[in-house]
Amino acid sequence: MDKSPSGRTVVVTGGTRGVGAGIARAFAATGAHVLACARRPPEQPADGVEFTPLDLRDPPAVRAFFDALPRVDVLVNNAGGTPYRRLADADSERHARVIELNLVTPLTASLAAYEHLRRARGAVVMIGSVSGGRPSPGSAAYGAAKAGLENLARSMAVEWAPEVRVNTLVVGMVRTELAHLHYGGPDGLDAVSRTVPLGRLAVPSDVGAAAVFLASDAAAYISGASLLVHGGGERPAFLDAADVNGPSDKEE
C-alpha cells in the first residue's frame, strides 16, 4: 500500500474549526486525502479537505461512515471540548456528556477505523490536553476525560501493536477563533500569553505540525507516547510567591 503522504487517507474528527481545522490543513498540505467529520460544516472550507457530516456520539453512524471508506491510514481523534462549568453548577448527566464526547467518542471512532488502520499499518493520534494532568477547576469532567484518553491511548498502543501506532498530543492553550470565550479580549489573551514560557499561545498550525509528525514515518518507532505541545508548560505559582530572591537579596 502506498504510504507516501499523497497516497494516504486521513480522517480528522471535529476537523472543521479551531485546532481540528489546523490539523486538517496541515495534513492536506502534505498531499494527503483529508476527511473532516463533524456535526456542522466549516464556515470557511479549506483547500484539500473534504467535509462529511457525522455525529460521533452515534456509534452506528460512526461505524457506517468508516465502513464506507475504501481505506484509512491515519485517524486523528480531535473532536471534543467543554464549556466552563463548575461541578456543583450542573447535574451528573451534563458532566457525563462531556466525558462521552471527550473520551467515549475517540474510542468509538478508533474501533470503527481499526480494520482499515490495521491493513494500512496506520496511526492514531489522540488530541489530549494539559487539563488531563493537573487540576482543572471549571472543566473537571473534561480534565478527567482527557486523563482517561491518555491512558486509553497507551493501552491501545500495546494491544494494537505492531500494526497500528497510537500516540497522544497533550495540548496546552491555543489561540483559536473561540479563544476569547476562555481568556477574554486582547488584554486577557496577552496576559495569559505571558504565563507561557515561550511567550505566546499555540496556534492551530502548531498542533497540526505535531500531528503530522506523529503520523509520519519519521515517528515510526514512537507509539504509546504523549508529546507535550504547550510552549514549555506553566510557570510554577510558588516562584511568584516566594521572596527568597526579593530586593534585599539582590546584589547591588
Side-chain angles (χ1 to χ4, degrees), residues 9-244:
T9 295
V10 179
V11 175
V12 182
T13 68
T16 58
R17 66 180 185 180
V19 170
I23 293 169
R25 287 192 296 267
F27 276 102
T30 71
H33 176 213
V34 181
L35 301 172
C37 53
R39 287 187 298 166
R40 292 182 292 273
E43 294 182 2
Q44 296 181 331
D47 291 340
V49 179
E50 179 183 339
F51 168 71
T52 299
L54 180 64
D55 186 347
L56 290 153
R57 291 169 292 190
D58 182 349
V62 174
R63 288 191 288 268
F65 166 74
F66 282 101
D67 287 347
L69 297 178
R71 63 184 287 175
V72 178
D73 298 275
V74 178
L75 169 63
V76 182
N77 283 308
N78 165 78
T82 185
Y84 180 87
R85 183 184 293 126
R86 289 189 174 274
L87 282 169
D89 291 341
D91 56 33
S92 61
E93 290 86 351
R94 192 175 293 269
H95 293 302
R97 286 196 289 272
V98 172
I99 294 173
E100 179 188 20
L101 176 62
N102 291 279
L103 177 57
V104 178
T105 64
L107 175 59
T108 299
S110 298
L111 290 171
Y114 171 68
E115 287 299 330
H116 284 303
L117 294 165
R118 182 184 62 81
R119 287 192 295 269
R121 298 188 73 88
V124 177
V125 180
M126 303 290 198
I127 304 302
S129 170
V130 295
S131 294
R134 57 157 171 74
S136 190
S139 56
Y142 173 81
K146 291 299 188 180
L149 187 66
E150 276 194 76
N151 187 274
L152 173 64
R154 295 190 197 104
S155 297
M156 193 179 293
V158 174
E159 288 197 17
W160 291 3
E163 291 86 5
V164 182
R165 294 187 302 106
V166 186
N167 292 292
T168 303
L169 289 181
V170 181
V171 180
M173 296 179 288
V174 185
R175 190 166 192 149
T176 69
E177 61 267 32
L178 299 179
H180 65 280
L181 298 178
H182 297 277
Y183 311 122
D187 290 344
L189 284 167
D190 288 344
V192 171
S193 295
R194 288 193 293 272
T195 70
V196 179
L198 288 187
R200 66 175 178 88
L201 273 61
V203 293
S205 61
D206 292 319
V207 184
V212 167
F213 164 69
L214 282 182
S216 74
D217 289 342
Y221 200 65
I222 300 175
S223 194
S226 296
L227 177 61
L228 297 170
V229 185
H230 60 6
E234 299 175 347
R235 178 179 171 84
F238 77 84
L239 292 177
D240 295 322
D243 62 3
V244 66

